[in-house]
Amino acid sequence: MIHRLGLSLTKTKLKTKLLPLSISRKFSVSEEGSIDADMHNRSPVTVFTDDEQMIREAVRAWAREELRPVVRDMDNEANLRPEILRSLFEQGLMGMEIPEKYGGSGLSFTSACLAVEEVSRIDPSTSILVDIHNTLTINSLIKWGSDQLKEHWLPRLATDTVSSFCLSEEGSGSDAFAMRTTAKASHDGSYFTLNGSKLWISNAMEAGVFLVFANADPTKGYKGITAFMVDSETEGIAVGSPENKLGLRASSTCPLTFENVQVESRHVLGQVGMGYKYCINILNEGRIGIAAQQVGIAKGCMDIAMPYLLERKQFGQPIADFQGMQHQYAQIATEIHAAELIMYNACRMKEKGMPFVKEASMAKLYSSQVAERTASKTIEWLGGIGFTKDLLAEKFYRDCKVGSIYEGTSNIQLQTIAKLLQAEYK
């Protein structure tokens, strides 16, 4: 049984079918042939299972009641409150896709993205911790980790240990495989020695384990890249001071240094030299998680803007009633809905085992654009108060910008989409 997020769900219930549509009319047989009976049971992309909807509602309530009161203070202090981190674990938000036998909730990828969206709707800084932990580290461990690694780390990741994804370096941003961090194997093959440094590492201050990518054989180029699960207490690891960022200020982003860090071979994730493939694969999933964050930001902006537009009066009427305003917020609402559809469609494609790389890139690209436009428009609609810190609109404006940068810049997404489109038409 699962007793988290205010739910008590059996494993069987968690695998219920999508909610059927209420369809009253009957389809007739056309001259071209009969309509597939399965059409009667298909649901729109944004119609969720009972369990997914309960998770969304529970996370929304938690974010509003526990997270919202401390968001401004966390942003000002550039620090994630320890009680918020504890609550994330207590609510089951840090082990959503971890199987129940390891102490997780055994939920769907869509459920994880729903949670990221709802947390982001209140605080994107907290949501990025949840997103990276679930969609990158945990899913990498589930996909490629040995049974020994899973038994060692998954119960901890579900209950009390934050993880961090260590890829970027000073000279390897978009060119991720130009990394210089090395992992030299011992003569007997029992351990590797890691040397090098990483930059822009999210969750670094809170992490109890780092998923580190290092090159075990530089002579092979990117085909030497290997992934390691490294305990943060391992001797030789130094976490630098957090970056003083424009947005996502409560999320720790730090440089890491590895100096003669010895990691036993049993802590290699998957196979030696396969890290580059794992990285490409998991970042495709991670881009959907970032899209969920960006959709959450856009909706959070509308949560601030729409009540204000309906309440604020000028020239004797609510400013929401002016046609010029109506056209603006109707356009933004349409774009948010489109971003949501692209994102959750990519979720379902991933869950069905379908190719989803193009859709994941589209989701991240478009949602980041929509979030930025929505945040900017929100400040304009709010007028003078939108330009102050009295409301959280300016924070969303700062927080959204990195959506076009991390986990693959917008140009990288466009390049990926273009490459796959060319393949479709050749």
Side-chain angles (χ1 to χ4, degrees):
M1 298 291 288
I2 298 173
H3 298 285
R4 291 178 176 172
L5 300 170
L7 306 177
S8 179
L9 305 172
T10 63
K11 189 68 175 178
T12 301
K13 187 178 179 184
L14 285 172
K15 292 191 175 181
T16 54
K17 295 181 179 178
L18 290 176
L19 294 172
L21 285 172
S22 296
I23 303 176
S24 57
R25 70 182 181 90
K26 301 295 183 180
F27 290 95
S28 59
V29 177
S30 67
E31 292 181 0
E32 291 77 16
S34 62
I35 294 178
D36 189 345
D38 184 54
M39 288 295 292
H40 289 280
N41 295 318
R42 292 183 183 177
S43 298
V45 173
T46 52
V47 170
F48 303 104
T49 65
D50 287 339
D51 300 320
E52 289 167 346
Q53 188 59 38
M54 282 191 287
I55 288 162
R56 164 176 261 183
E57 292 170 359
V59 175
R60 181 178 298 173
W62 174 84
R64 289 177 176 175
E65 294 168 10
E66 295 193 36
L67 182 58
R68 177 180 281 165
V70 298
V71 168
R72 177 59 76 188
D73 287 341
M74 291 198 305
D75 185 66
N76 289 338
E77 297 164 6
N79 184 51
L80 182 72
R81 292 285 180 88
E83 63 267 26
I84 293 298
L85 186 57
R86 284 195 300 271
S87 187
L88 288 171
F89 281 107
E90 290 168 358
Q91 296 298 322
L93 293 176
M94 300 297 275
M96 286 179 283
E97 292 185 81
I98 293 178
E100 288 182 280
K101 67 177 181 178
Y102 296 114
S105 300
L107 300 174
S108 67
F109 182 72
T110 297
S111 297
C113 288
L114 282 166
V116 169
E117 178 194 321
E118 290 300 330
V119 174
S120 183
R121 202 164 176 167
I122 301 298
D123 182 31
S125 292
T126 304
S127 77
I128 195 59
L129 181 143
V130 175
D131 177 46
I132 290 172
H133 184 79
N134 282 281
T135 67
L136 295 184
T137 309
I138 286 175
N139 280 352
S140 293
L141 186 54
I142 291 173
K143 285 175 179 288
W144 302 295
S146 64
D147 289 341
Q148 187 179 34
L149 275 181
K150 291 177 183 177
E151 290 168 3
H152 180 77
W153 284 115
L154 288 178
R156 294 179 61 184
L157 292 172
T159 55
D160 61 16
T161 303
V162 176
S163 64
S164 186
F165 189 82
C166 304
L167 177 64
S168 297
E169 298 182 5
E170 182 179 5
S172 59
S174 292
D175 184 10
F177 298 149
M179 67 179 64
R180 294 187 176 181
T181 299
T182 59
K184 185 177 181 180
S186 62
H187 291 298
D188 62 1
S190 62
Y191 65 90
F192 288 82
T193 301
L194 275 59
N195 280 285
S197 60
K198 299 289 182 179
L199 285 180
W200 314 113
I201 305 305
S202 299
N203 303 352
M205 293 293 291
E206 298 82 12
V209 61
F210 298 108
L211 175 51
V212 182
F213 291 86
N215 202 318
D217 189 352
T219 64
K220 294 181 179 179
Y222 67 87
K223 292 187 177 180
I225 294 174
T226 303
F228 301 85
M229 294 292 291
V230 185
D231 192 306
S232 64
E233 297 297 320
T234 305
E235 185 177 355
I237 298 176
V239 179
S241 300
E243 302 289 348
N244 186 13
K245 306 190 300 294
L246 170 72
L248 302 185
R249 293 181 55 78
S251 169
S252 65
T253 306
C254 311
L256 264 69
T257 302
F258 300 91
E259 185 174 355
N260 295 322
V261 176
Q262 292 189 4
V263 182
E264 294 181 16
S265 296
R266 62 192 178 93
H267 292 296
V268 170
L269 182 73
Q271 300 177 33
V272 173
M274 294 295 287
Y276 75 100
K277 285 192 175 181
Y278 303 154
C279 182
I280 292 171
N281 189 306
I282 207 65
L283 282 175
N284 288 327
E285 297 185 17
R287 285 164 183 166
I288 304 175
I290 297 300
Q293 182 203 43
Q294 298 298 301
V295 168
I297 289 174
K299 289 185 177 182
C301 288
M302 292 295 277
D303 291 342
I304 296 171
M306 288 307 299
Y308 179 85
L309 296 180
L310 291 166
E311 180 181 346
R312 170 74 168 169
K313 290 185 178 181
Q314 289 289 274
F315 304 101
Q317 66 180 22
I319 58 178
D321 289 347
F322 288 99
Q323 187 181 63
M325 289 301 304
Q326 290 175 334
H327 290 182
Q328 291 182 56
Y329 61 73
Q331 178 65 40
I332 288 295
T334 301
E335 293 180 11
I336 294 173
H337 186 55
E340 183 179 32
L341 291 173
I342 296 171
M343 186 262 290
Y344 284 114
N345 183 60
C347 284
R348 295 304 190 199
M349 292 178 73
K350 184 265 179 188
E351 290 173 346
K352 291 290 185 181
M354 300 169 64
F356 66 92
V357 175
K358 181 182 70 177
E359 288 74 15
S361 287
M362 287 178 169
K364 182 183 183 294
L365 171 70
Y366 188 65
S367 64
S368 66
Q369 294 170 345
V370 170
E372 194 168 332
R373 280 195 293 271
T374 305
S376 179
K377 279 295 182 183
T378 294
I379 290 176
E380 290 180 25
W381 297 338
L382 295 172
I385 196 171
F387 199 65
T388 72
K389 291 194 174 185
D390 291 351
L391 300 176
L392 289 173
E394 61 81 31
K395 180 180 179 299
F396 281 126
Y397 186 69
R398 291 184 285 109
D399 287 345
C400 73
K401 187 57 192 177
V402 74
S404 62
I405 300 172
Y406 61 4
E407 292 200 31
T409 65
S410 291
N411 281 341
I412 290 295
Q413 305 314 314
L414 288 167
Q415 184 175 331
T416 299
I417 295 164
K419 180 179 179 181
L420 292 169
L421 277 173
Q422 287 181 355
E424 290 176 12
Y425 281 90
K426 285 183 179 179

